[in-house]
Amino acid sequence: MSQVVVASNRGPVSFSLSDDGALEMRRGGGGLVSGLAGVASGQDVLWVCASLGEADRTAARRAPDGRIDLAGHDTGGAAVRMLDIPAATFHRAYNAVANSTLWFVHHLLYDTPRSPHFDARARRDWQSYEAYNAAFADALARDAAPGAKAAIQDYHLSLAPRMLRDRRPDLRIVHFSHTPWAPPEYFRLLPDDIGAQVLQGILGADHAGFLTERWASAFLDCCEVVLGARVDRAARTVTCAGHTTRVGVHGLGVDGAALRERAAQQDVAERARALREQVGDRQLIVRVDRTELSKNIVRGLAAYREMLTNHPEWRGRVVHLAFAYPSRYDLPEYREYTAAVQRMAKQITEEFGTATWEPLILQVNDDYPRSLAAYGLADVLLVNPIRDGMNLVAKEGPILSERGCALVLSREAGAAAELSEDALVVNPFDVSQTAEALHQGLLMPRDQRAERCARLVSAATALPPQRWFADQLAALD
């Protein structure tokens, strides 16, 4: 039994099956995994995660009681229990509720004349979400030592704190939200009973953590408006059904030393050489994102196109390297968005490309070393999400920048609360403003860019994952 148990949908590793049926392991992706991987390798910490696909389920079944680390796999020193949740239950909980409903609510993504549409099918999906959360609560209740601390992560597990409280009232529980939190008027798009369950689920924790003051305040507002809970904003507490939950803000930064060490490896150097050969001595605008609706890639490409239109002096002198890794391809909205990204990229290439200049390089395969190499070479880093809990790309890029990059940053990214003074801040819906910010970033004198970048690095590394996680656990004392 463990003194600290951690729960998240995605774990530190995932698996695929080779043609001969052998399991092949790879590093887990996403900002949450990046944040937790360095801290979950400590003694007496158990990380509980879900099997994301058939290969993961195979690995979990072959491991003793789902303990991936005890089956000989390299989990980076972390003790990992991978839950074999039935595929249909996982699909409905993950795709239909977590990613198609809760994600859309918190990121304000709905096209409200057409969606959401909560009917009998949505209720069936919600039952799967309840079952998925219960599977985690059961595992945590079994694995946690008496009086242990449980750190439950993100919107996939909104119900788990209350469920775990009911099973193990002796535990000290923190829930942390890596997404934004919707304001009450948008949160109430959810059916009344489901919205109440989400809030009551998180309020089962002793401490509810958020990435910024803005998201924490929105949560307090929802508790007051939707539940009629007693909210003390000065103390940042919510009292509901006789239980008080403290609300805290824990910004998540980057372990700069670990990131630089990874970027110094040979595979990154090889990709940096290849990129430099491809780009030549031209300036480089870089973005690194999943093809996620909230990341705003299409408007970012449109801004680059408008910059080339309004400032023809940059033609032939700049290249935009856009990493747009496929994401949530099971959902039709995401397949269409990926196609829209590709259409816009093709339009830019056909309109401006010449025999000697490729204005845009669109990278769609997930290549982590190449992303790190691109950070190092970037003159301008574009991070323009519609809405983002934090956005670690805005922090990782400046850390690896070789000459100092200018950061064009959306004011709707959580990272803007920490980085706005030294970034070129934009309204993510204003394509023309973003185009001018790219132009300003390219024109910024090298010494000024380097000075601003140094301050960005200082802010980005001020709250590394170890401190972020330790602060959550300390809040339970």
Side-chain angles (χ1 to χ4, degrees), residues 290-299 332-342 386:
R290 292 176 293 113
T291 339
E292 156 59 53
L293 303 181
S294 65
K295 299 299 183 183
N296 207 24
I297 299 170
V298 172
R299 287 192 187 91
E333 299 96 333
Y334 285 78
R335 292 194 294 272
E336 168 52 31
Y337 192 72
T338 300
V341 169
Q342 293 169 328
I386 293 169

Side-chain angles (χ1 to χ4, degrees), residues 109-389:
L109 291 176
Y110 277 123
D111 177 11
T112 51
R114 297 177 180 84
S115 60
H117 184 86
F118 296 112
D119 54 10
R121 180 175 180 175
R123 296 291 172 174
R124 183 202 65 185
D125 294 336
W126 183 253
Q127 290 174 347
S128 291
Y129 184 75
E130 291 174 318
Y132 166 88
N133 274 256
F136 272 88
D138 290 340
L140 295 171
R142 181 186 60 178
D143 288 324
K149 297 178 179 180
I152 300 172
Q153 303 291 314
D154 226 4
Y155 62 103
H156 312 90
L157 296 171
S158 299
L159 307 183
R162 171 60 59 192
M163 292 176 170
L164 184 57
R165 169 77 55 208
D166 293 341
R167 288 160 174 76
R168 290 286 304 273
D170 62 301
L171 300 183
R172 290 166 290 170
I173 304 168
V174 59
H175 182 277
F176 192 87
S177 294
H178 292 257
T179 63
W181 195 272
E185 60 272 19
Y186 207 89
F187 186 83
R188 295 182 86 170
L189 289 176
L190 292 171
D192 293 351
D193 58 324
I194 287 176
Q197 270 188 268
V198 169
L199 294 170
Q200 290 163 350
I202 292 175
L203 292 177
D206 299 289
H207 188 83
F210 297 87
L211 287 165
T212 71
E213 293 281 355
R214 183 180 177 188
W215 314 141
S217 294
F219 176 76
L220 293 173
D221 291 343
C222 285
C223 290
E224 187 172 56
V225 172
V226 176
L227 294 181
R230 190 167 77 249
V231 173
D232 184 335
R233 283 181 169 74
R236 274 211 301 234
T237 60
V238 181
T239 302
C240 184
H243 180 262
T244 297
T245 302
R246 292 182 302 278
V247 174
V249 175
H250 309 281
L252 175 59
V254 178
D255 184 336
L259 185 65
R260 291 186 187 100
E261 181 181 355
R262 176 64 186 90
Q265 293 180 18
Q266 185 63 30
D267 56 350
V268 178
E270 290 170 357
R271 285 161 175 78
R273 281 195 294 273
L275 280 174
R276 182 46 70 201
E277 287 177 11
Q278 191 173 9
V279 173
D281 59 358
R282 299 178 178 94
Q283 291 208 64
L284 188 62
I285 299 172
V286 170
R287 77 171 304 136
V288 177
D289 284 306
R290 292 176 293 113
T291 339
E292 156 59 53
L293 303 181
S294 65
K295 299 299 183 183
N296 207 24
I297 299 170
V298 172
R299 287 192 187 91
L301 293 175
Y304 178 62
R305 177 180 178 273
E306 187 164 315
M307 187 197 78
L308 294 178
T309 300
N310 294 344
H311 301 283
E313 66 271 21
W314 287 117
R315 297 177 195 177
R317 296 175 52 211
V318 66
V319 173
H320 185 12
L321 177 58
F323 292 82
Y325 303 141
S327 177
R328 299 173 184 168
Y329 219 66
D330 291 340
L331 303 178
E333 299 96 333
Y334 285 78
R335 292 194 294 272
E336 168 52 31
Y337 192 72
T338 300
V341 169
Q342 293 169 328
R343 287 194 298 270
M344 178 61 78
K346 182 179 179 183
Q347 182 180 349
I348 291 170
T349 300
E350 290 178 349
E351 185 174 355
F352 297 104
T354 67
T356 58
W357 174 51
E358 189 177 7
L360 174 69
I361 302 169
L362 180 65
Q363 170 88 29
V364 295
N365 345 333
D366 189 352
D367 188 335
Y368 183 63
R370 197 167 194 236
S371 297
L372 298 181
Y375 286 152
L377 299 176
D379 294 287
V380 177
L381 181 66
L382 174 59
V383 179
N384 69 318
I386 293 169
R387 191 169 163 91
D388 214 333

Side-chain angles (χ1 to χ4, degrees), residues 409-430:
L409 179 63
S410 165
R411 68 188 185 195
E412 297 301 314
E418 302 167 37
L419 306 181
S420 60
E421 287 188 11
D422 291 294
L424 298 171
V425 178
V426 296
N427 172 350
F429 301 98
D430 190 338

Side-chain angles (χ1 to χ4, degrees), residues 403-471:
R403 300 185 305 272
C405 66
L407 173 63
V408 176
L409 179 63
S410 165
R411 68 188 185 195
E412 297 301 314
E418 302 167 37
L419 306 181
S420 60
E421 287 188 11
D422 291 294
L424 298 171
V425 178
V426 296
N427 172 350
F429 301 98
D430 190 338
V431 170
S432 296
Q433 183 192 43
T434 305
E436 286 306 303
L438 293 174
H439 175 59
Q440 291 172 29
L442 292 170
L443 286 178
M444 191 180 293
R446 203 45 76 68
D447 56 347
Q448 183 186 136
R449 193 189 297 175
E451 289 171 6
R452 292 168 72 127
C453 188
R455 292 192 292 269
L456 290 171
V457 171
S458 179
T461 55
L463 296 167
Q466 293 83 353
R467 180 176 167 187
W468 163 79
F469 191 68
D471 285 351

